[in-house]
Amino acid sequence: MRTTEITARRHIMVVLEHGEDFYTGLAEACAKHDIRSGYIPSFVGGFRRARLVGDCKPLKNPDAPLWEEVEVEHLEALGGGTLAWNAEENQLAPHIHVAAGIKDASADGRVSHLLGATVQFICEIPVVEVIGATDGPALTRSRDPHLFAGEVPILGFGPHN
């Protein structure tokens, strides 16, 4: 286990509108407000189309990261996640999971890591910026070379992890 103390600094509300790309809009909003680390306690919205981590086949190794994806349409979604800074790529690295009901399938659900989505109607996202005890973003994201050959991005604390 790793822990660190963080302090909530600013809260902003992001409203993505019909047809907007979820991750592009989120990144633009965070850039506009110079937010480099934070969290999304919970968001609500509709997705016209979403790409989620998942597969319909049996997993060869259930303990290994899964990079396959499924695409689903017409969803009502509830989600949340962390916003960390990827210093290697000099950009925001969100980690978002969703629970979503497919509207035309009796709201059958999907729960997974969100790879991408197009907003349908609206998506309301409260963002809480966090700061740490040192300069730089409080939360960072990098790959652990010891975890599945460096395939898994993990959350770190501060600019020096």
mmCIF file of all heavy atoms in Angstrom, residues 118-160:
data_model
loop_
_atom_site.group_PDB
_atom_site.id
_atom_site.type_symbol
_atom_site.label_atom_id
_atom_site.label_comp_id
_atom_site.label_asym_id
_atom_site.label_seq_id
_atom_site.Cartn_x
_atom_site.Cartn_y
_atom_site.Cartn_z
ATOM 1 N N THR A 118 -18.448 9.351 -27.139
ATOM 2 C CA THR A 118 -19.062 10.529 -27.732
ATOM 3 C C THR A 118 -20.323 10.824 -26.932
ATOM 4 O O THR A 118 -21.161 9.940 -26.738
ATOM 5 C CB THR A 118 -19.427 10.275 -29.207
ATOM 6 O OG1 THR A 118 -18.246 9.898 -29.917
ATOM 7 C CG2 THR A 118 -20.043 11.509 -29.842
ATOM 8 N N VAL A 119 -20.446 12.055 -26.476
ATOM 9 C CA VAL A 119 -21.567 12.452 -25.620
ATOM 10 C C VAL A 119 -22.867 12.487 -26.420
ATOM 11 O O VAL A 119 -22.900 12.936 -27.562
ATOM 12 C CB VAL A 119 -21.297 13.838 -24.984
ATOM 13 C CG1 VAL A 119 -22.513 14.356 -24.236
ATOM 14 C CG2 VAL A 119 -20.083 13.750 -24.058
ATOM 15 N N GLN A 120 -23.916 11.981 -25.790
ATOM 16 C CA GLN A 120 -25.257 12.114 -26.341
ATOM 17 C C GLN A 120 -26.057 12.972 -25.366
ATOM 18 O O GLN A 120 -26.207 12.618 -24.194
ATOM 19 C CB GLN A 120 -25.931 10.761 -26.532
ATOM 20 C CG GLN A 120 -27.284 10.885 -27.203
ATOM 21 C CD GLN A 120 -27.859 9.520 -27.579
ATOM 22 O OE1 GLN A 120 -27.555 8.506 -26.949
ATOM 23 N NE2 GLN A 120 -28.679 9.509 -28.608
ATOM 24 N N PHE A 121 -26.523 14.071 -25.834
ATOM 25 C CA PHE A 121 -27.266 15.077 -25.076
ATOM 26 C C PHE A 121 -26.355 15.874 -24.158
ATOM 27 O O PHE A 121 -26.076 17.029 -24.416
ATOM 28 C CB PHE A 121 -28.462 14.492 -24.323
ATOM 29 C CG PHE A 121 -29.396 13.696 -25.196
ATOM 30 C CD1 PHE A 121 -29.775 12.420 -24.847
ATOM 31 C CD2 PHE A 121 -29.871 14.220 -26.389
ATOM 32 C CE1 PHE A 121 -30.619 11.677 -25.657
ATOM 33 C CE2 PHE A 121 -30.709 13.490 -27.214
ATOM 34 C CZ PHE A 121 -31.088 12.222 -26.838
ATOM 35 N N ILE A 122 -25.880 15.271 -23.057
ATOM 36 C CA ILE A 122 -25.076 16.045 -22.112
ATOM 37 C C ILE A 122 -24.309 15.098 -21.178
ATOM 38 O O ILE A 122 -24.710 13.965 -20.953
ATOM 39 C CB ILE A 122 -25.978 17.001 -21.285
ATOM 40 C CG1 ILE A 122 -25.160 18.103 -20.636
ATOM 41 C CG2 ILE A 122 -26.807 16.232 -20.281
ATOM 42 C CD1 ILE A 122 -25.994 19.280 -20.169
ATOM 43 N N CYS A 123 -23.195 15.597 -20.675
ATOM 44 C CA CYS A 123 -22.414 14.861 -19.671
ATOM 45 C C CYS A 123 -21.900 15.898 -18.668
ATOM 46 O O CYS A 123 -21.231 16.855 -19.049
ATOM 47 C CB CYS A 123 -21.259 14.114 -20.328
ATOM 48 S SG CYS A 123 -20.366 13.015 -19.207
ATOM 49 N N GLU A 124 -22.240 15.716 -17.409
ATOM 50 C CA GLU A 124 -21.915 16.673 -16.348
ATOM 51 C C GLU A 124 -20.828 16.089 -15.454
ATOM 52 O O GLU A 124 -21.033 15.053 -14.828
ATOM 53 C CB GLU A 124 -23.178 16.977 -15.544
ATOM 54 C CG GLU A 124 -24.291 17.527 -16.419
ATOM 55 C CD GLU A 124 -25.671 17.388 -15.804
ATOM 56 O OE1 GLU A 124 -25.823 16.678 -14.779
ATOM 57 O OE2 GLU A 124 -26.609 17.988 -16.359
ATOM 58 N N ILE A 125 -19.676 16.778 -15.408
ATOM 59 C CA ILE A 125 -18.491 16.231 -14.748
ATOM 60 C C ILE A 125 -17.933 17.222 -13.724
ATOM 61 O O ILE A 125 -17.327 18.222 -14.099
ATOM 62 C CB ILE A 125 -17.379 15.920 -15.776
ATOM 63 C CG1 ILE A 125 -17.925 15.109 -16.942
ATOM 64 C CG2 ILE A 125 -16.210 15.233 -15.098
ATOM 65 C CD1 ILE A 125 -16.971 15.028 -18.126
ATOM 66 N N PRO A 126 -18.115 16.960 -12.433
ATOM 67 C CA PRO A 126 -17.434 17.786 -11.440
ATOM 68 C C PRO A 126 -15.980 17.326 -11.310
ATOM 69 O O PRO A 126 -15.705 16.135 -11.193
ATOM 70 C CB PRO A 126 -18.206 17.526 -10.152
ATOM 71 C CG PRO A 126 -18.853 16.199 -10.343
ATOM 72 C CD PRO A 126 -19.022 15.994 -11.821
ATOM 73 N N VAL A 127 -15.064 18.269 -11.352
ATOM 74 C CA VAL A 127 -13.634 17.967 -11.237
ATOM 75 C C VAL A 127 -13.103 18.656 -9.986
ATOM 76 O O VAL A 127 -13.347 19.847 -9.773
ATOM 77 C CB VAL A 127 -12.852 18.460 -12.478
ATOM 78 C CG1 VAL A 127 -11.352 18.281 -12.290
ATOM 79 C CG2 VAL A 127 -13.321 17.736 -13.735
ATOM 80 N N VAL A 128 -12.381 17.898 -9.171
ATOM 81 C CA VAL A 128 -11.754 18.441 -7.967
ATOM 82 C C VAL A 128 -10.247 18.421 -8.201
ATOM 83 O O VAL A 128 -9.651 17.355 -8.363
ATOM 84 C CB VAL A 128 -12.113 17.612 -6.716
ATOM 85 C CG1 VAL A 128 -11.419 18.182 -5.488
ATOM 86 C CG2 VAL A 128 -13.619 17.541 -6.523
ATOM 87 N N GLU A 129 -9.654 19.597 -8.224
ATOM 88 C CA GLU A 129 -8.198 19.686 -8.361
ATOM 89 C C GLU A 129 -7.565 19.355 -7.019
ATOM 90 O O GLU A 129 -8.079 19.755 -5.968
ATOM 91 C CB GLU A 129 -7.788 21.095 -8.780
ATOM 92 C CG GLU A 129 -6.286 21.256 -8.897
ATOM 93 C CD GLU A 129 -5.871 22.684 -9.175
ATOM 94 O OE1 GLU A 129 -6.538 23.628 -8.698
ATOM 95 O OE2 GLU A 129 -4.856 22.851 -9.871
ATOM 96 N N VAL A 130 -6.461 18.618 -7.040
ATOM 97 C CA VAL A 130 -5.734 18.337 -5.803
ATOM 98 C C VAL A 130 -4.295 18.794 -5.931
ATOM 99 O O VAL A 130 -3.721 18.818 -7.025
ATOM 100 C CB VAL A 130 -5.785 16.836 -5.400
ATOM 101 C CG1 VAL A 130 -7.205 16.399 -5.149
ATOM 102 C CG2 VAL A 130 -5.118 15.954 -6.432
ATOM 103 N N ILE A 131 -3.739 19.180 -4.786
ATOM 104 C CA ILE A 131 -2.337 19.570 -4.730
ATOM 105 C C ILE A 131 -1.675 18.751 -3.630
ATOM 106 O O ILE A 131 -2.330 18.257 -2.722
ATOM 107 C CB ILE A 131 -2.167 21.079 -4.475
ATOM 108 C CG1 ILE A 131 -2.881 21.511 -3.196
ATOM 109 C CG2 ILE A 131 -2.684 21.892 -5.660
ATOM 110 C CD1 ILE A 131 -2.630 22.952 -2.789
ATOM 111 N N GLY A 132 -0.374 18.604 -3.746
ATOM 112 C CA GLY A 132 0.394 17.858 -2.760
ATOM 113 C C GLY A 132 1.280 18.794 -1.957
ATOM 114 O O GLY A 132 1.152 20.019 -2.017
ATOM 115 N N ALA A 133 2.208 18.224 -1.230
ATOM 116 C CA ALA A 133 3.086 18.991 -0.355
ATOM 117 C C ALA A 133 4.260 19.608 -1.109
ATOM 118 O O ALA A 133 4.931 20.491 -0.593
ATOM 119 C CB ALA A 133 3.602 18.092 0.765
ATOM 120 N N THR A 134 4.542 19.146 -2.340
ATOM 121 C CA THR A 134 5.676 19.655 -3.104
ATOM 122 C C THR A 134 5.182 20.314 -4.380
ATOM 123 O O THR A 134 4.018 20.197 -4.753
ATOM 124 C CB THR A 134 6.640 18.509 -3.477
ATOM 125 O OG1 THR A 134 5.935 17.561 -4.284
ATOM 126 C CG2 THR A 134 7.177 17.819 -2.237
ATOM 127 N N ASP A 135 6.077 21.005 -5.060
ATOM 128 C CA ASP A 135 5.730 21.626 -6.341
ATOM 129 C C ASP A 135 5.438 20.547 -7.378
ATOM 130 O O ASP A 135 5.970 19.447 -7.318
ATOM 131 C CB ASP A 135 6.892 22.489 -6.849
ATOM 132 C CG ASP A 135 7.070 23.740 -6.006
ATOM 133 O OD1 ASP A 135 6.096 24.155 -5.352
ATOM 134 O OD2 ASP A 135 8.177 24.296 -6.018
ATOM 135 N N GLY A 136 4.612 20.894 -8.324
ATOM 136 C CA GLY A 136 4.250 19.962 -9.384
ATOM 137 C C GLY A 136 2.932 19.285 -9.073
ATOM 138 O O GLY A 136 2.336 19.485 -8.007
ATOM 139 N N PRO A 137 2.451 18.469 -10.008
ATOM 140 C CA PRO A 137 1.168 17.803 -9.791
ATOM 141 C C PRO A 137 1.236 16.814 -8.627
ATOM 142 O O PRO A 137 2.240 16.140 -8.434
ATOM 143 C CB PRO A 137 0.908 17.081 -11.117
ATOM 144 C CG PRO A 137 2.244 16.960 -11.775
ATOM 145 C CD PRO A 137 3.065 18.110 -11.286
ATOM 146 N N ALA A 138 0.145 16.751 -7.858
ATOM 147 C CA ALA A 138 0.097 15.844 -6.709
ATOM 148 C C ALA A 138 -0.013 14.393 -7.147
ATOM 149 O O ALA A 138 0.437 13.490 -6.459
ATOM 150 C CB ALA A 138 -1.087 16.205 -5.812
ATOM 151 N N LEU A 139 -0.652 14.164 -8.296
ATOM 152 C CA LEU A 139 -0.844 12.810 -8.814
ATOM 153 C C LEU A 139 -0.164 12.702 -10.174
ATOM 154 O O LEU A 139 -0.314 13.571 -11.022
ATOM 155 C CB LEU A 139 -2.337 12.496 -8.951
ATOM 156 C CG LEU A 139 -3.181 12.691 -7.690
ATOM 157 C CD1 LEU A 139 -4.652 12.448 -8.002
ATOM 158 C CD2 LEU A 139 -2.702 11.791 -6.568
ATOM 159 N N THR A 140 0.572 11.628 -10.351
ATOM 160 C CA THR A 140 1.254 11.388 -11.629
ATOM 161 C C THR A 140 0.899 9.994 -12.118
ATOM 162 O O THR A 140 0.422 9.149 -11.356
ATOM 163 C CB THR A 140 2.782 11.514 -11.467
ATOM 164 O OG1 THR A 140 3.218 10.608 -10.451
ATOM 165 C CG2 THR A 140 3.185 12.935 -11.102
ATOM 166 N N ARG A 141 1.121 9.762 -13.385
ATOM 167 C CA ARG A 141 0.854 8.445 -13.952
ATOM 168 C C ARG A 141 2.063 8.030 -14.780
ATOM 169 O O ARG A 141 2.545 8.780 -15.617
ATOM 170 C CB ARG A 141 -0.393 8.463 -14.831
ATOM 171 C CG ARG A 141 -0.744 7.090 -15.285
ATOM 172 C CD ARG A 141 -2.202 6.721 -15.392
ATOM 173 N NE ARG A 141 -3.232 7.567 -14.884
ATOM 174 C CZ ARG A 141 -3.830 7.429 -13.693
ATOM 175 N NH1 ARG A 141 -3.454 6.482 -12.862
ATOM 176 N NH2 ARG A 141 -4.805 8.230 -13.331
ATOM 177 N N SER A 142 2.559 6.835 -14.488
ATOM 178 C CA SER A 142 3.676 6.259 -15.245
ATOM 179 C C SER A 142 3.516 4.747 -15.241
ATOM 180 O O SER A 142 2.649 4.205 -14.562
ATOM 181 C CB SER A 142 5.014 6.670 -14.624
ATOM 182 O OG SER A 142 5.089 6.206 -13.290
ATOM 183 N N ARG A 143 4.346 4.100 -15.996
ATOM 184 C CA ARG A 143 4.279 2.637 -16.082
ATOM 185 C C ARG A 143 5.297 2.011 -15.139
ATOM 186 O O ARG A 143 6.431 2.446 -15.066
ATOM 187 C CB ARG A 143 4.514 2.189 -17.516
ATOM 188 C CG ARG A 143 3.413 2.700 -18.428
ATOM 189 C CD ARG A 143 3.560 2.165 -19.853
ATOM 190 N NE ARG A 143 2.540 2.737 -20.693
ATOM 191 C CZ ARG A 143 1.319 2.242 -20.869
ATOM 192 N NH1 ARG A 143 0.966 1.154 -20.234
ATOM 193 N NH2 ARG A 143 0.449 2.825 -21.659
ATOM 194 N N ASP A 144 4.855 0.991 -14.425
ATOM 195 C CA ASP A 144 5.724 0.257 -13.516
ATOM 196 C C ASP A 144 6.412 -0.837 -14.322
ATOM 197 O O ASP A 144 5.752 -1.762 -14.807
ATOM 198 C CB ASP A 144 4.889 -0.351 -12.387
ATOM 199 C CG ASP A 144 5.724 -1.113 -11.375
ATOM 200 O OD1 ASP A 144 6.885 -1.478 -11.682
ATOM 201 O OD2 ASP A 144 5.219 -1.360 -10.275
ATOM 202 N N PRO A 145 7.747 -0.768 -14.489
ATOM 203 C CA PRO A 145 8.441 -1.766 -15.312
ATOM 204 C C PRO A 145 8.356 -3.182 -14.752
ATOM 205 O O PRO A 145 8.566 -4.155 -15.477
ATOM 206 C CB PRO A 145 9.885 -1.273 -15.343
ATOM 207 C CG PRO A 145 10.017 -0.360 -14.185
ATOM 208 C CD PRO A 145 8.652 0.205 -13.913
ATOM 209 N N HIS A 146 8.012 -3.314 -13.477
ATOM 210 C CA HIS A 146 7.936 -4.631 -12.842
ATOM 211 C C HIS A 146 6.548 -5.251 -12.918
ATOM 212 O O HIS A 146 6.366 -6.399 -12.551
ATOM 213 C CB HIS A 146 8.382 -4.542 -11.381
ATOM 214 C CG HIS A 146 9.725 -3.915 -11.222
ATOM 215 N ND1 HIS A 146 10.886 -4.517 -11.650
ATOM 216 C CD2 HIS A 146 10.084 -2.706 -10.739
ATOM 217 C CE1 HIS A 146 11.913 -3.729 -11.411
ATOM 218 N NE2 HIS A 146 11.458 -2.619 -10.865
ATOM 219 N N LEU A 147 5.567 -4.501 -13.371
ATOM 220 C CA LEU A 147 4.186 -4.972 -13.403
ATOM 221 C C LEU A 147 3.802 -5.289 -14.847
ATOM 222 O O LEU A 147 3.614 -4.391 -15.662
ATOM 223 C CB LEU A 147 3.261 -3.911 -12.811
ATOM 224 C CG LEU A 147 1.827 -4.304 -12.538
ATOM 225 C CD1 LEU A 147 1.732 -5.496 -11.590
ATOM 226 C CD2 LEU A 147 1.072 -3.120 -11.947
ATOM 227 N N PHE A 148 3.728 -6.564 -15.180
ATOM 228 C CA PHE A 148 3.414 -7.024 -16.532
ATOM 229 C C PHE A 148 4.264 -6.322 -17.578
ATOM 230 O O PHE A 148 3.754 -5.734 -18.537
ATOM 231 C CB PHE A 148 1.920 -6.876 -16.831
ATOM 232 C CG PHE A 148 1.097 -7.909 -16.124
ATOM 233 C CD1 PHE A 148 0.469 -7.607 -14.936
ATOM 234 C CD2 PHE A 148 0.980 -9.185 -16.644
ATOM 235 C CE1 PHE A 148 -0.272 -8.570 -14.263
ATOM 236 C CE2 PHE A 148 0.249 -10.156 -15.977
ATOM 237 C CZ PHE A 148 -0.380 -9.847 -14.792
ATOM 238 N N ALA A 149 5.576 -6.349 -17.372
ATOM 239 C CA ALA A 149 6.556 -5.821 -18.320
ATOM 240 C C ALA A 149 6.303 -4.357 -18.670
ATOM 241 O O ALA A 149 6.517 -3.917 -19.790
ATOM 242 C CB ALA A 149 6.593 -6.680 -19.584
ATOM 243 N N GLY A 150 5.861 -3.595 -17.697
ATOM 244 C CA GLY A 150 5.662 -2.171 -17.915
ATOM 245 C C GLY A 150 4.417 -1.814 -18.701
ATOM 246 O O GLY A 150 4.306 -0.717 -19.221
ATOM 247 N N GLU A 151 3.467 -2.730 -18.787
ATOM 248 C CA GLU A 151 2.263 -2.486 -19.573
ATOM 249 C C GLU A 151 1.190 -1.704 -18.819
ATOM 250 O O GLU A 151 0.268 -1.183 -19.435
ATOM 251 C CB GLU A 151 1.645 -3.821 -20.017
ATOM 252 C CG GLU A 151 2.470 -4.602 -21.005
ATOM 253 C CD GLU A 151 1.763 -5.887 -21.399
ATOM 254 O OE1 GLU A 151 0.526 -5.894 -21.494
ATOM 255 O OE2 GLU A 151 2.461 -6.886 -21.617
ATOM 256 N N VAL A 152 1.281 -1.633 -17.500
ATOM 257 C CA VAL A 152 0.182 -1.076 -16.717
ATOM 258 C C VAL A 152 0.541 0.303 -16.184
ATOM 259 O O VAL A 152 1.476 0.445 -15.407
ATOM 260 C CB VAL A 152 -0.158 -2.015 -15.522
ATOM 261 C CG1 VAL A 152 -1.304 -1.444 -14.723
ATOM 262 C CG2 VAL A 152 -0.486 -3.418 -16.028
ATOM 263 N N PRO A 153 -0.214 1.339 -16.581
ATOM 264 C CA PRO A 153 0.011 2.659 -16.010
ATOM 265 C C PRO A 153 -0.514 2.704 -14.575
ATOM 266 O O PRO A 153 -1.599 2.228 -14.304
ATOM 267 C CB PRO A 153 -0.801 3.598 -16.899
ATOM 268 C CG PRO A 153 -1.559 2.768 -17.847
ATOM 269 C CD PRO A 153 -1.233 1.339 -17.621
ATOM 270 N N ILE A 154 0.307 3.238 -13.668
ATOM 271 C CA ILE A 154 -0.080 3.277 -12.255
ATOM 272 C C ILE A 154 -0.055 4.717 -11.745
ATOM 273 O O ILE A 154 0.600 5.579 -12.309
ATOM 274 C CB ILE A 154 0.820 2.388 -11.384
ATOM 275 C CG1 ILE A 154 2.273 2.856 -11.466
ATOM 276 C CG2 ILE A 154 0.700 0.927 -11.777
ATOM 277 C CD1 ILE A 154 3.155 2.275 -10.401
ATOM 278 N N LEU A 155 -0.767 4.935 -10.663
ATOM 279 C CA LEU A 155 -0.835 6.246 -10.041
ATOM 280 C C LEU A 155 0.353 6.438 -9.126
ATOM 281 O O LEU A 155 0.682 5.571 -8.312
ATOM 282 C CB LEU A 155 -2.134 6.353 -9.234
ATOM 283 C CG LEU A 155 -2.473 7.723 -8.680
ATOM 284 C CD1 LEU A 155 -2.786 8.701 -9.810
ATOM 285 C CD2 LEU A 155 -3.660 7.617 -7.740
ATOM 286 N N GLY A 156 1.010 7.583 -9.277
ATOM 287 C CA GLY A 156 2.124 7.942 -8.413
ATOM 288 C C GLY A 156 1.808 9.226 -7.669
ATOM 289 O O GLY A 156 0.825 9.919 -7.989
ATOM 290 N N PHE A 157 2.639 9.561 -6.708
ATOM 291 C CA PHE A 157 2.415 10.744 -5.889
ATOM 292 C C PHE A 157 3.527 11.753 -6.130
ATOM 293 O O PHE A 157 4.682 11.475 -5.870
ATOM 294 C CB PHE A 157 2.365 10.377 -4.410
ATOM 295 C CG PHE A 157 1.337 9.328 -4.081
ATOM 296 C CD1 PHE A 157 1.647 8.277 -3.250
ATOM 297 C CD2 PHE A 157 0.057 9.395 -4.609
ATOM 298 C CE1 PHE A 157 0.702 7.316 -2.932
ATOM 299 C CE2 PHE A 157 -0.898 8.439 -4.318
ATOM 300 C CZ PHE A 157 -0.570 7.397 -3.472
ATOM 301 N N GLY A 158 3.174 12.908 -6.575
ATOM 302 C CA GLY A 158 4.115 14.000 -6.767
ATOM 303 C C GLY A 158 5.016 13.794 -7.966
ATOM 304 O O GLY A 158 4.989 12.754 -8.617
ATOM 305 N N PRO A 159 5.788 14.811 -8.268
ATOM 306 C CA PRO A 159 6.624 14.767 -9.475
ATOM 307 C C PRO A 159 7.737 13.713 -9.412
ATOM 308 O O PRO A 159 8.282 13.330 -10.422
ATOM 309 C CB PRO A 159 7.191 16.177 -9.568
ATOM 310 C CG PRO A 159 7.088 16.751 -8.195
ATOM 311 C CD PRO A 159 5.916 16.066 -7.546
ATOM 312 N N HIS A 160 8.036 13.238 -8.223
ATOM 313 C CA HIS A 160 9.127 12.259 -8.090
ATOM 314 C C HIS A 160 8.605 10.872 -7.741
ATOM 315 O O HIS A 160 9.374 9.994 -7.396
ATOM 316 C CB HIS A 160 10.125 12.724 -7.035
ATOM 317 C CG HIS A 160 10.596 14.112 -7.285
ATOM 318 N ND1 HIS A 160 11.384 14.438 -8.350
ATOM 319 C CD2 HIS A 160 10.339 15.271 -6.618
ATOM 320 C CE1 HIS A 160 11.631 15.750 -8.333
ATOM 321 N NE2 HIS A 160 10.986 16.259 -7.289
#
